[in-house]
Amino acid sequence: MSGDRHFVDKYRDALIQKVSLVEPVMGELLNRFVIDQEGYNRVMAQRTNQEKMKELYAGPLNACGPDEKDTFYHILNQLEPYLILELKSTK
């Protein structure tokens, strides 16, 4: 991703509030080795989708570099394409 801030950083608050398919997203992040089992377990232990997304950003995603954030973006684009389109249109 080009630009000053990565898409997943720029739209952090909106993604925390609006991602609804957290479990499949987390499964893909684990399968693609973006996060480890411990990070997955910490995130999935949270009660609500918003709490899970906050934990993802506070922990595993906070430690990720641009390549891992690209992977996260592509997973979101695959699983929640309408959300990504909505956020892109709010530039």
Side-chain angles (χ1 to χ4, degrees):
M1 306 286 322
S2 61
D4 296 334
R5 292 175 61 201
H6 197 286
F7 182 91
V8 300
D9 293 328
K10 182 176 180 181
Y11 295 105
R12 176 187 186 275
D13 293 339
L15 291 170
I16 287 171
Q17 292 301 315
K18 295 183 177 189
V19 170
S20 61
L21 299 174
V22 177
E23 288 82 2
V25 168
M26 291 301 299
E28 284 296 315
L29 290 172
L30 183 63
N31 290 339
R32 297 184 193 193
F33 304 104
V34 173
I35 61 172
D36 61 16
Q37 187 67 52
E38 182 181 343
Y40 175 87
N41 292 343
R42 261 195 330 271
V43 170
M44 296 308 292
Q46 305 305 309
R47 286 189 37 236
T48 67
N49 283 343
Q50 288 81 14
E51 289 170 347
K52 289 174 184 175
M53 290 299 293
K54 283 181 187 177
E55 182 63 32
L56 174 63
Y57 270 97
L61 203 60
N62 190 43
C64 287
D67 290 342
E68 290 85 1
K69 289 180 181 183
D70 284 347
T71 301
F72 179 47
Y73 168 80
H74 291 298
I75 291 168
L76 289 172
N77 198 35
Q78 177 185 12
L79 295 175
E80 302 224 24
Y82 296 109
L83 174 56
I84 299 302
L85 284 172
E86 173 189 330
L87 295 176
K88 283 182 173 181
S89 70
T90 63
K91 286 184 176 179

